[in-house]
Amino acid sequence: MDPSTEEVETKHVDIRPISSSQPNSQDEVYVHKVEIPPKQNLFVEFKGIVKETFLADDPLRPFKNQPRSRKFFLGIQAVFPIIEWAKDYNFTKFRGDLIAGLTIASLCIPQDIGYAKLANLDPQYGLYSSFVPPLVYALMGSSRDIAIGPVAVVSLLLGTLLQDEIDPKKNAFEYRRLAFTATFFAGITQATLGIFRLGFLIDFLSHAAIVGFMGGAAITITLQQLKGFLGIKNFTKKSDIVSVMKSVFKAAHHGWNWQTIVIGASFLSFLLFTKYIGKKKRNLFWVPAIAPLISVVISTFFVFITRADKQGVQIVKHIEKGINPSSVDKIYFSGEYLIKGLRIGVVAGLIALTEAVAIGRTFASMKDYQLDGNKEMVALGTMNIVGSMTSCFVATGSFSRSAVNYMAGCHTAVSNIVMSCVVFLTLEFITPLFTYTPNAILAAIIISAVISLIDIQAASLIWKIDKFDFVACMGTFFGVVFYSVEIGLLIAVSISFAKILLQVTRPRTAILGKVPRTNVYRNIQQYPKATKIPGVLIVRVDSAIYFSNSNYIKERILRWLTNEEEAKKAANEPRIHSLIVEMSPVTDIDTSGIHALEELYKSLQKRDVQLVLANPGPVVINKLHASHFANLIGDDKMFLTVADAVSSCSPKLVEQV
């Protein structure tokens, strides 16, 4: 929508009379003068900029006018939000959290085993990552609905990046050490962004790029599961679709196991059917939630009684019993793998953070409560730091589990504690029962979980809204599918930055016309009935004017002028004698921008065209006066509105129009 040109920038208004078309007319048009706001102290101005950049949500507001003891308590409460909501906790809320916790536990246990394999780690590490991190998050997290644990995309990313450095089969111990190191630095990255309130950095990955990345990752994860789904023993380590399909068809004659395929296909059909039921009837949300665990139990029992593992069906075999062992001494704090762990951790941490914050905000808006993004980052970072020291790999918010948690009626983060307790009991007593679990069922569970990440509807909407965003979406998608997760991520970031640079360096400009029977001037493309004023060209600049775009804006305005002059000449109409630049959308200007205006002024003088400015904002008008540009064109060439500027330039013609 066009910005309003009628906004008054200051409290005090000066007026100056301008004679009408009749020399001695009693009617006078009063034109409001553009005011210069009071000068601010440099320190106050800098303080305001810093506050708006890093403390936009005013996190220190609750501490104002509070005694020291109260401030200390509020500080502890800010770090541990559990203190705040625990005061109002009751049995009704606990009942909802208990049901939700048990439901997401039934979903997370089989998923965790599968996601650990996706990260090229032993199954127990997936369970470890759903035991300690949720407990830490329950203490420090501010979301009531998010369910914590390993997720498919981050597990795939971690596994892909780690195996590029160390072979997980030949050097399993070193591989685990690097995984813990990457998890440690993922936590450091997340906590640092939260502490220094730099959460806005994750917004540089656009929604379109995330949709493409998630869809591509879902395809890649599904392709990776073909190894377990088809019972292939020798499988490529590459993740691109061409290499995977070559490996699949190469093993088609002797590498596929029909018993494995039957198990995988049967239970995948069952899982997809339960998901369909859950979508059709929302009160049956628990059906797709417990379906993975039911599948694991039935398939494990079937393999055990038929001894299908002797017929080539690959099974989980051994899962270590007991809770997380310490891994503090396994993190690389020096040596060649320190930098590699840091690099992998930063990438994995940012992706995990983007997913978790997006999920948290989604459910917070559904329940109408505020989510502090920076607190979330600190909580997620702390839980991954602690997790790295207790044999966990990167954990974050899981959308599928969080959706089940929400629909199961959770009220607080206690549902995460309940889930963690169930995982604890599983690690202590139940893990030996998973010995005969077929890998095919884990593949089926992962495939059914990631299919929902392919959001065709969102991609279609992106195409309708913004074609450039669609290019970013598809570029990221094909980068992940045909090359690798890293390349796809690089494409996502590159296209997102390219879009920002394009919008900054090539801002929109528009020619304005007078809307009939009003004093309002609007874009003639949006309002075709808007009338141009003879002899006057009105151009609106829809951006701040900086060094990156100042030259383009100057040249674009001159090009508008040249085009109009040629059109006027061809139509034998009066020449352009005034150029009005509508500056309402210009929020700021730097020295390069002022220099560009000076050059524009000189170019217009040579053409015998007046330069007039309409509605420069407080920041802009201050800088125009500080640079003496206002003196150059004259105060009488700056107006509060476009209507005032036009009245000054061509009062008689305005009346005729």
Side-chain angles (χ1 to χ4, degrees):
M1 185 179 290
D2 287 334
S4 172
T5 60
E6 309 302 326
E7 184 179 337
V8 179
E9 293 287 348
T10 59
K11 293 180 182 177
H12 302 289
V13 179
D14 289 345
I15 56 175
R16 58 178 184 269
I18 292 181
S19 299
S20 69
S21 56
Q22 302 293 331
N24 297 314
S25 172
Q26 294 179 351
D27 297 326
E28 289 185 330
V29 178
Y30 288 97
V31 179
H32 296 264
K33 181 182 177 183
V34 178
E35 289 287 333
I36 306 170
K39 275 196 172 183
Q40 278 191 325
N41 179 281
L42 181 62
F43 175 75
V44 173
E45 188 176 353
F46 178 75
K47 184 181 176 183
I49 293 170
V50 171
K51 184 178 179 181
E52 283 302 311
T53 304
F54 300 104
L55 304 169
D57 56 344
D58 198 8
L60 302 178
R61 183 177 53 200
F63 294 86
K64 290 178 182 177
N65 304 319
Q66 297 289 342
R68 186 173 296 179
S69 58
R70 178 65 179 166
K71 285 181 179 178
F72 177 77
F73 178 78
L74 289 173
I76 297 295
Q77 187 174 281
V79 178
F80 300 102
I82 190 173
I83 297 172
E84 183 178 0
W85 55 258
K87 292 181 291 185
D88 302 320
Y89 201 69
N90 53 42
F91 181 75
T92 303
K93 290 182 178 180
F94 175 72
R95 185 173 59 187
D97 288 335
L98 179 64
I99 294 170
L102 292 173
T103 308
I104 58 175
S106 67
L107 177 63
C108 88
I109 292 169
Q111 280 188 348
D112 290 344
I113 296 171
Y115 293 156
K117 285 187 170 291
L118 204 57
N120 301 313
L121 292 165
D122 294 332
Q124 65 268 19
Y125 292 100
L127 295 172
Y128 293 161
S129 301
S130 279
F131 173 46
V132 173
L135 293 175
V136 177
Y137 182 84
L139 295 173
M140 301 184 67
S142 55
S143 173
R144 304 171 195 167
D145 304 279
I146 198 167
I148 297 297
V151 297
V153 174
V154 177
S155 300
L156 171 70
L157 179 65
L158 201 62
T160 304
L161 296 177
L162 290 172
Q163 73 177 3
D164 288 342
E165 305 297 338
I166 301 175
D167 190 313
K169 291 184 178 178
K170 294 180 181 177
N171 299 299
F173 179 72
E174 297 296 323
Y175 182 89
R176 283 197 298 273
R177 290 192 64 185
L178 187 59
F180 300 147
T181 305
T183 303
F184 176 78
F185 284 112
I188 291 290
T189 301
Q190 294 168 337
T192 301
L193 289 176
I195 291 169
F196 291 101
R197 307 188 69 79
L198 298 172
F200 59 86
L201 292 177
I202 65 173
D203 294 331
F204 280 100
L205 204 59
S206 68
H207 171 69
I210 291 172
V211 169
F213 178 76
M214 291 297 184
I219 298 291
T220 302
I221 291 167
T222 301
L223 292 171
Q224 292 289 311
Q225 298 315 301
L226 292 177
K227 177 185 178 183
F229 195 83
L230 302 174
I232 301 171
K233 292 182 179 178
N234 298 316
F235 200 71
T236 181
K237 291 181 181 178
K238 296 180 180 178
S239 61
D240 64 282
I241 188 170
V242 176
S243 300
V244 170
M245 295 314 295
K246 277 184 180 178
S247 183
V248 168
F249 289 120
K250 188 177 179 182
H253 295 297
H254 304 290
W256 294 12
N257 182 273
W258 71 266
Q259 294 98 326
T260 301
I261 296 172
V262 169
I263 293 171
S266 301
F267 283 101
L268 178 60
S269 301
F270 169 69
L271 291 167
L272 294 176
F273 178 68
T274 58
K275 288 187 80 170
Y276 175 78
I277 291 175
K279 283 183 178 179
K280 283 291 181 182
K281 296 186 178 181
R282 294 178 66 86
N283 61 324
L284 296 178
F285 68 89
W286 53 271
V287 174
I290 65 169
L293 189 59
I294 292 172
S295 301
V296 167
V297 172
I298 294 173
S299 62
T300 302
F301 180 71
F302 175 78
V303 171
F304 176 71
I305 62 171
T306 62
R307 295 314 304 265
D309 56 308
K310 303 247 186 223
Q311 304 299 318
V313 174
Q314 297 176 30
I315 58 175
V316 171
K317 293 181 182 175
H318 175 65
I319 300 180
E320 282 191 23
K321 196 176 176 183
I323 60 171
N324 311 33
S326 173
S327 56
V328 177
D329 58 332
K330 295 181 177 65
I331 298 173
Y332 288 110
F333 291 108
S334 61
E336 62 175 314
Y337 290 121
L338 172 63
I339 301 300
K340 293 176 179 178
L342 172 63
R343 177 177 58 82
I344 296 169
V346 168
V347 175
L350 289 175
I351 295 298
L353 197 57
T354 303
E355 187 171 355
V357 172
I359 292 167
R361 285 174 179 168
T362 299
F363 289 105
S365 65
M366 290 168 71
K367 283 192 174 179
D368 194 27
Y369 65 89
Q370 292 295 320
L371 188 74
D372 189 328
N374 290 293
K375 280 184 184 177
E376 283 296 284
M377 293 174 196
V378 174
L380 293 164
T382 305
M383 81 178 189
N384 276 315
I385 292 170
V386 174
S388 69
M389 298 176 181
T390 52
S391 301
C392 304
F393 62 95
V394 181
T396 187
S398 165
F399 188 81
S400 59
R401 283 181 235 176
S402 299
V404 170
N405 197 30
Y406 170 79
M407 295 178 72
C410 72
H411 294 281
T412 66
V414 169
S415 60
N416 274 294
I417 297 174
V418 173
M419 178 189 72
S420 185
C421 291
V422 174
V423 172
F424 165 75
L425 295 173
T426 303
L427 284 166
E428 284 291 348
F429 306 109
I430 306 175
T431 50
L433 301 179
F434 291 110
T435 301
Y436 288 96
T437 301
N439 289 340
I441 192 62
L442 300 179
I445 289 169
I446 292 174
I447 291 170
S448 68
V450 301
I451 278 178
S452 58
L453 295 177
I454 304 171
D455 198 339
I456 297 173
Q457 189 175 358
S460 175
L461 186 62
I462 290 168
W463 165 259
K464 292 176 184 175
I465 295 172
D466 192 320
K467 301 300 185 287
F468 194 95
D469 265 357
F470 186 76
V471 171
C473 179
M474 289 296 100
T476 307
F477 175 82
F478 287 118
V480 173
V481 172
F482 284 96
Y483 290 94
S484 65
V485 176
E486 310 98 284
I487 296 297
L489 199 56
L490 183 62
I491 291 172
V493 174
S494 300
I495 294 179
S496 296
F497 270 103
K499 184 180 180 182
I500 293 170
L501 289 173
L502 187 63
Q503 290 176 337
V504 169
T505 59
R506 294 293 182 267
R508 296 180 186 275
T509 57
I511 292 181
L512 306 186
K514 186 173 184 288
V515 178
R517 296 183 296 278
T518 71
N519 280 326
V520 175
Y521 291 79
R522 290 292 182 263
N523 188 340
I524 59 173
Q525 288 186 335
Q526 185 179 0
Y527 298 89
K529 292 182 181 179
T531 311
K532 293 181 183 178
I533 306 298
V536 179
L537 176 64
I538 309 167
V539 179
R540 191 186 67 220
V541 179
D542 291 336
S543 164
I545 305 176
Y546 292 129
F547 66 92
S548 57
N549 62 22
S550 58
N551 195 52
Y552 168 79
I553 290 172
K554 180 197 72 175
E555 291 178 353
R556 188 69 187 92
I557 291 173
L558 289 173
R559 195 156 73 249
W560 280 125
L561 179 61
T562 302
N563 293 342
E564 284 295 307
E565 285 177 336
E566 290 175 355
K568 299 287 184 187
K569 189 175 181 181
N572 290 320
E573 293 180 1
R575 59 178 289 276
I576 301 292
H577 60 75
S578 297
L579 171 69
I580 300 173
V581 180
E582 151 70 309
M583 301 190 75
S584 295
V586 181
T587 55
D588 201 355
I589 190 169
D590 65 3
T591 51
S592 297
I594 291 171
H595 184 63
L597 289 181
E598 290 172 350
E599 290 181 348
L600 176 65
Y601 174 73
K602 291 174 184 175
S603 297
L604 294 177
Q605 275 192 319
K606 292 175 184 177
R607 299 188 185 198
D608 195 22
V609 176
Q610 287 185 358
L611 175 62
V612 180
L613 304 183
N615 197 24
V619 175
V620 174
I621 193 67
N622 257 330
K623 292 184 179 180
L624 293 180
H625 277 278
S627 64
H628 303 296
F629 179 77
N631 297 333
L632 180 66
I633 66 168
D635 280 339
D636 60 335
K637 294 295 183 289
M638 292 189 291
F639 298 88
L640 184 62
T641 68
V642 174
D644 287 349
V646 174
S647 297
S648 172
C649 296
S650 300
K652 187 174 181 179
L653 291 172
V654 173
E655 290 171 11
Q656 292 174 356
V657 171

